[in-house]
Short mmCIF file of all heavy atoms in Angstrom, two decimals:
data_model
loop_
_atom_site.label_atom_id
_atom_site.label_comp_id
_atom_site.label_asym_id
_atom_site.label_seq_id
_atom_site.Cartn_x
_atom_site.Cartn_y
_atom_site.Cartn_z
N GLY A 31 -2.73 5.38 0.66
CA GLY A 31 -3.91 5.97 0.04
C GLY A 31 -3.59 6.81 -1.19
O GLY A 31 -4.47 7.19 -1.93
N ASN A 51 4.15 7.38 -40.14
CA ASN A 51 3.51 7.94 -38.93
C ASN A 51 4.17 7.40 -37.67
O ASN A 51 4.33 8.12 -36.69
CB ASN A 51 2.00 7.66 -38.94
CG ASN A 51 1.25 8.65 -39.80
OD1 ASN A 51 1.14 9.82 -39.45
ND2 ASN A 51 0.80 8.19 -40.95
N GLY A 62 11.58 15.16 -27.81
CA GLY A 62 10.97 15.74 -26.61
C GLY A 62 9.57 16.31 -26.79
O GLY A 62 8.98 16.84 -25.84
N VAL A 69 7.26 4.58 -26.90
CA VAL A 69 6.79 3.42 -27.67
C VAL A 69 7.46 2.17 -27.10
O VAL A 69 8.68 2.02 -27.16
CB VAL A 69 7.09 3.57 -29.17
CG1 VAL A 69 6.53 2.38 -29.94
CG2 VAL A 69 6.51 4.87 -29.71
N GLU A 83 11.35 -2.29 -39.64
CA GLU A 83 12.74 -1.83 -39.74
C GLU A 83 12.92 -0.54 -38.94
O GLU A 83 13.93 -0.35 -38.26
CB GLU A 83 13.10 -1.53 -41.21
CG GLU A 83 12.88 -2.67 -42.17
CD GLU A 83 13.97 -3.71 -42.07
OE1 GLU A 83 15.13 -3.32 -41.87
OE2 GLU A 83 13.65 -4.91 -42.17
N VAL A 95 2.01 -10.18 -35.98
CA VAL A 95 0.83 -10.96 -35.65
C VAL A 95 0.04 -11.13 -36.94
O VAL A 95 -0.54 -10.17 -37.45
CB VAL A 95 -0.02 -10.23 -34.57
CG1 VAL A 95 -1.30 -11.00 -34.30
CG2 VAL A 95 0.78 -10.07 -33.28
N LYS A 97 -2.90 -12.65 -39.20
CA LYS A 97 -4.23 -13.26 -39.15
C LYS A 97 -4.25 -14.55 -39.99
O LYS A 97 -4.87 -15.53 -39.61
CB LYS A 97 -5.27 -12.27 -39.67
CG LYS A 97 -6.70 -12.75 -39.57
CD LYS A 97 -7.67 -11.65 -39.90
CE LYS A 97 -9.02 -12.21 -40.28
NZ LYS A 97 -9.95 -11.16 -40.68
N GLU A 107 -6.88 -11.30 -32.83
CA GLU A 107 -7.08 -10.29 -31.78
C GLU A 107 -6.55 -10.78 -30.43
O GLU A 107 -5.99 -10.00 -29.65
CB GLU A 107 -8.56 -9.91 -31.68
CG GLU A 107 -9.00 -9.14 -32.91
CD GLU A 107 -10.45 -8.69 -32.86
OE1 GLU A 107 -11.16 -9.07 -31.90
OE2 GLU A 107 -10.88 -7.97 -33.77
N ASP A 108 -6.71 -12.06 -30.15
CA ASP A 108 -6.18 -12.62 -28.89
C ASP A 108 -4.67 -12.43 -28.82
O ASP A 108 -4.13 -12.10 -27.76
CB ASP A 108 -6.51 -14.12 -28.78
CG ASP A 108 -7.96 -14.37 -28.39
OD1 ASP A 108 -8.64 -13.39 -27.99
OD2 ASP A 108 -8.41 -15.52 -28.51
N ILE A 110 -2.87 -10.12 -30.29
CA ILE A 110 -2.57 -8.70 -30.04
C ILE A 110 -2.85 -8.37 -28.57
O ILE A 110 -2.04 -7.72 -27.90
CB ILE A 110 -3.39 -7.78 -30.97
CG1 ILE A 110 -3.07 -8.08 -32.44
CG2 ILE A 110 -3.12 -6.31 -30.65
CD1 ILE A 110 -3.93 -7.33 -33.45
N GLY A 126 -1.54 3.62 -39.69
CA GLY A 126 -1.47 2.89 -40.95
C GLY A 126 -1.70 1.41 -40.74
O GLY A 126 -1.11 0.57 -41.42
N VAL A 146 -5.09 7.36 -36.89
CA VAL A 146 -4.94 8.50 -37.80
C VAL A 146 -5.55 8.10 -39.14
O VAL A 146 -5.31 7.01 -39.65
CB VAL A 146 -3.46 8.94 -37.94
CG1 VAL A 146 -2.57 7.85 -38.51
CG2 VAL A 146 -3.37 10.22 -38.78
N SER A 149 -8.09 11.86 -44.06
CA SER A 149 -9.09 12.79 -44.62
C SER A 149 -9.71 13.54 -43.45
O SER A 149 -9.46 13.21 -42.29
CB SER A 149 -10.20 12.05 -45.39
OG SER A 149 -11.08 11.41 -44.48
N GLY A 172 -13.36 16.00 -56.40
CA GLY A 172 -12.99 17.36 -56.74
C GLY A 172 -12.95 18.32 -55.56
O GLY A 172 -13.06 19.53 -55.73
N ALA A 178 -6.36 15.55 -42.48
CA ALA A 178 -6.23 14.33 -41.69
C ALA A 178 -6.95 14.49 -40.36
O ALA A 178 -7.19 15.62 -39.90
CB ALA A 178 -4.76 13.99 -41.44
N VAL A 198 -5.64 20.55 -45.36
CA VAL A 198 -4.56 20.63 -46.36
C VAL A 198 -5.21 20.97 -47.70
O VAL A 198 -6.23 20.37 -48.07
CB VAL A 198 -3.81 19.27 -46.46
CG1 VAL A 198 -2.78 19.28 -47.59
CG2 VAL A 198 -3.14 18.92 -45.13
N VAL A 213 -0.59 15.47 -47.45
CA VAL A 213 -1.44 15.29 -46.27
C VAL A 213 -0.62 14.72 -45.11
O VAL A 213 -0.78 15.12 -43.95
CB VAL A 213 -2.67 14.40 -46.60
CG1 VAL A 213 -3.39 13.96 -45.33
CG2 VAL A 213 -3.62 15.13 -47.53
N GLU A 218 -0.79 14.72 -40.97
CA GLU A 218 -0.67 13.51 -40.15
C GLU A 218 0.53 13.52 -39.21
O GLU A 218 0.41 13.23 -38.02
CB GLU A 218 -0.58 12.26 -41.05
CG GLU A 218 -1.84 12.01 -41.84
CD GLU A 218 -1.76 10.74 -42.66
OE1 GLU A 218 -1.46 9.67 -42.10
OE2 GLU A 218 -1.99 10.81 -43.88
N GLY A 236 -3.56 11.02 -14.52
CA GLY A 236 -4.69 10.40 -13.85
C GLY A 236 -6.04 10.93 -14.29
O GLY A 236 -7.07 10.69 -13.67
N MET A 238 -7.49 10.15 -17.15
CA MET A 238 -8.24 9.14 -17.91
C MET A 238 -7.65 7.75 -17.71
O MET A 238 -6.63 7.58 -17.12
CB MET A 238 -8.29 9.47 -19.40
CG MET A 238 -6.95 9.59 -20.09
SD MET A 238 -7.15 10.01 -21.84
CE MET A 238 -7.70 8.44 -22.52
#
Side-chain angles (χ1 to χ4, degrees):
N51 279 290
V69 183
E83 304 283 323
V95 176
K97 184 171 160 184
E107 291 182 354
D108 283 348
I110 300 174
V146 61
S149 74
V198 174
V213 168
E218 295 183 53
M238 59 181 285

